[in-house]
Amino acid sequence: MKLSNRRALRVPARASLGFTLAGIFAKGIGVLTTPLFSRLLRAEEYGLYSLYLTWLGIFSVAATLGITGSVLYRGIQKYRADTDAFLSSAATSLALTFCLSLGIYLLFSEAINRFTGLTTLLTLFLFMQIGANLSLALFSSRCRYLYRPLPYALVTLGCDVLSAGLSLLLIRYAPHPETARIYGLLIASLVFAVPLTYLCYRRGKCLFRKEHLAFLFPFALSLFPHYAATILLAEGGRAVIGRRLGRAALAGYGIASALGLSLSLLSGGIGAAYQPWVMRKAAAGETEKIAPITDLLARLFTLLSCLLMLLFPEIFSLLAPAEYRTSLPAALPLACSVLPHFLASMLAGIHLTREEVRPVSAVTLAVAGASLLADALFVPRYGAVASGFVTLGGAYLLFFLRLFTVRKKGICGVIFLWRTVGLLAAAPPFALLVYVLFPYVAVRLILFALLLPTVFFLGRRVLAALKETKADIPPSPAGVIENE
């Protein structure tokens, strides 16, 4: 390979690594600040913030009609000659959908407030937060397309650090500490969102163009069921817990979720770099190169899940005081759900490579509906821990339905080794063993020491395998979809 070609490949490779690390550090800030806020706030107060974030995610999809993620990337690729004008049109489109959803809320505010458990003031703050997040999403899309991880990292990490710092100050000095975390997040987001919105329109030099709107709305509406079902799958259980069990129970489940899904920081980062390569190979019919690397990743995620589960009691004690400990068992099934979610997201990406939206949306809607029904039936009877098992069941169902639709469509050959699928059965029995061993610290530490060398050895093999994919990184991240 010529030196000029190698240098050209280093740009997307290094950018991919930069975005991955920035995402991991940004989410890591949230995990690291959890011990502070769980001790400074009472369970009811911390639960209010968890409830707010739950409805923020659900309202965000409704307020944007899904004009984020894949829709923006596909549009940037389509109008690559005038990217900034397209992003200006996207900003105007998002402003229109935002105003429409806000108007609907104001018409039915009392009924919506009774259903969500939030006050009108907090819901208005929620809409302001959505508006700020939209500006940050547009900026993120532009950075990814231009391979500029440094501005993205500075804004993302700066916003998270400022949010945590302001929240701590408001908890200490504000008269109503229960809403301090919400105010801190909103103020920090607006500090960055306002100038970024100005820059977006300044670069684009227009409010909108008809051809951009003609592309955005039909494509976004075609993906809207998928995005709506995805967010319901992620947040539906929390909404049921907050409504049926109260904010204190939701606070405990939120901390268990942060612990159980901590491995998703790694799987999401690797997925952002690995998934475009998978989609490219699937489109070219070169699926034989996918299975071995996917198998390595699956084995690594399985072993890492087992390692983390062995230390869950000690890590949970660091994250939260003793009053939250009854939620600890929920972290075990949530940890087991990371691998099937990662594999299901990769399968969805293969469908979207061929612009086959219907199978993706149908499967996600079916699993989201089944999970919501299960949460509604089992959470009131068995508590918040039941939602963790519902999440695990939903993750397995999502993977196997995705696998069925991929093979039925004949999109590609075998992209998983049967050993990879078999690994999905390994984590739940181990989680049950860990639950039994919770009181026996010495036994868990011995198992941890036995597994650790295998993880290091497998990690080195995974890194070597991922390096081989760098030469196949596509020229733009337009094909990337968000992890489910």
Side-chain angles (χ1 to χ4, degrees):
M1 184 181 294
K2 294 181 179 179
L3 181 60
S4 59
N5 291 337
R6 289 181 179 176
R7 288 176 177 173
L9 290 172
R10 287 174 186 168
V11 174
R14 289 175 178 174
S16 176
L17 177 62
F19 288 119
T20 300
L21 292 176
I24 292 175
F25 281 122
K27 293 181 180 179
I29 290 173
V31 175
L32 292 175
T33 56
T34 297
L36 293 174
F37 295 116
S38 66
R39 287 168 170 81
L40 291 173
L41 298 172
R42 293 182 292 107
E44 284 281 339
E45 295 171 341
Y46 193 84
L48 175 62
Y49 178 66
S50 297
L51 184 66
Y52 176 84
L53 291 183
T54 295
W55 289 110
L56 175 64
I58 295 173
F59 276 47
S60 293
V61 176
T64 62
L65 293 182
I67 305 180
T68 55
S70 297
V71 178
L72 291 178
Y73 292 139
R74 190 66 57 85
I76 289 173
Q77 184 184 44
K78 184 180 179 70
Y79 301 103
R80 64 173 66 91
D82 204 358
T83 299
D84 289 323
F86 170 76
L87 290 175
S88 294
S89 298
T92 302
S93 302
L94 289 168
L96 292 174
T97 60
F98 173 84
C99 292
L100 177 63
S101 60
L102 179 59
I104 293 173
Y105 167 73
L106 293 175
L107 286 175
F108 304 100
S109 59
E110 291 186 6
I112 294 174
N113 290 346
R114 284 196 298 270
F115 185 76
T116 62
L118 298 176
T119 64
T120 299
L121 180 62
L122 284 181
T123 306
L124 291 176
F125 285 153
L126 183 148
F127 273 97
M128 293 174 65
Q129 184 67 55
I130 291 173
N133 290 348
L134 295 179
S135 179
L136 295 172
L138 291 170
F139 173 76
S140 170
S141 299
R142 187 177 189 274
C143 288
R144 288 181 181 277
Y145 180 73
L146 297 176
Y147 296 120
R148 294 179 179 174
L150 183 58
Y152 169 82
L154 290 175
V155 169
T156 303
L157 297 177
C159 186
D160 289 338
V161 171
L162 181 60
S163 170
L166 288 174
S167 298
L168 291 172
L169 288 175
L170 290 171
I171 289 173
R172 176 66 177 85
Y173 297 107
H176 302 288
E178 67 275 7
T179 55
R181 191 74 178 96
I182 295 172
Y183 295 157
L185 175 63
L186 177 59
I187 294 170
S189 299
L190 290 174
V191 166
F192 288 92
V194 171
L196 289 177
T197 302
Y198 168 75
L199 286 175
C200 179
Y201 281 110
R202 182 179 178 180
R203 292 191 186 108
K205 299 178 181 179
C206 67
L207 282 177
F208 66 90
R209 292 182 183 173
K210 291 183 180 179
E211 60 176 320
H212 297 159
L213 300 186
F215 162 80
L216 279 167
F217 284 107
F219 188 56
L221 288 173
S222 69
L223 280 174
F224 178 74
H226 167 67
Y227 283 125
T230 298
I231 198 65
L232 286 176
L233 191 60
E235 304 291 351
R238 296 170 184 260
V240 172
I241 292 172
R243 183 171 175 81
R244 301 300 299 271
L245 302 181
R247 295 173 183 172
L250 180 59
Y253 182 80
I255 293 174
S257 179
L259 175 58
L261 298 178
S262 56
L263 189 59
S264 63
L265 301 179
L266 179 62
S267 66
I270 291 177
Y274 179 59
Q275 190 168 322
W277 180 83
V278 170
M279 294 167 69
R280 184 178 176 87
K281 288 299 179 185
E286 301 174 0
T287 55
E288 71 281 355
K289 297 183 179 181
I290 299 176
I293 299 180
T294 304
D295 181 65
L296 279 175
L297 288 172
R299 287 153 63 187
L300 178 63
F301 289 152
T302 301
L303 283 173
L304 285 174
S305 295
C306 294
L307 277 181
L308 283 174
M309 285 189 284
L310 288 169
L311 300 180
F312 270 3
E314 289 71 32
I315 298 175
F316 195 91
S317 298
L318 294 175
L319 291 177
E323 62 181 304
Y324 294 93
R325 196 172 178 82
T326 54
S327 301
L328 171 59
L332 294 171
L334 290 171
C336 297
S337 71
V338 172
L339 176 59
H341 269 301
F342 171 78
L343 298 177
S345 177
M346 191 170 66
L347 290 170
I350 294 173
H351 272 299
L352 292 180
T353 300
R354 298 168 57 94
E355 297 187 3
E356 294 177 341
V357 177
R358 185 172 297 178
V360 175
S361 299
V363 168
T364 314
L365 282 169
V367 176
S371 297
L372 276 176
L373 179 61
D375 277 317
L377 289 174
F378 297 123
V379 166
R381 182 175 299 182
Y382 299 107
V385 175
S387 187
F389 288 96
V390 170
T391 300
L392 176 60
Y396 277 93
L397 181 61
L398 187 68
F399 168 73
F400 283 110
L401 288 178
R402 289 255 186 271
L403 185 61
F404 173 76
T405 58
V406 166
R407 294 177 67 84
K408 184 179 178 181
K409 286 282 185 178
I411 296 174
C412 58
V414 178
I415 63 171
F416 298 113
L417 301 175
W418 284 113
R419 181 174 58 191
T420 306
V421 180
L423 285 172
L424 295 173
F430 190 85
L432 179 61
L433 173 65
V434 171
Y435 179 74
V436 174
L437 294 176
F438 270 177
Y440 306 102
V441 179
V443 177
R444 287 189 285 109
L445 290 178
I446 291 173
L447 288 175
F448 183 89
L450 291 174
L451 288 176
L452 193 59
T454 306
V455 171
F456 277 118
F457 172 75
L458 197 57
R460 293 182 63 181
R461 291 186 60 189
V462 168
L463 288 175
L466 290 177
K467 286 180 181 179
E468 296 179 5
T469 69
K470 286 184 178 181
D472 293 316
I473 294 177
S476 76
V480 182
I481 70 163
E482 295 160 337
N483 289 329
E484 294 176 280

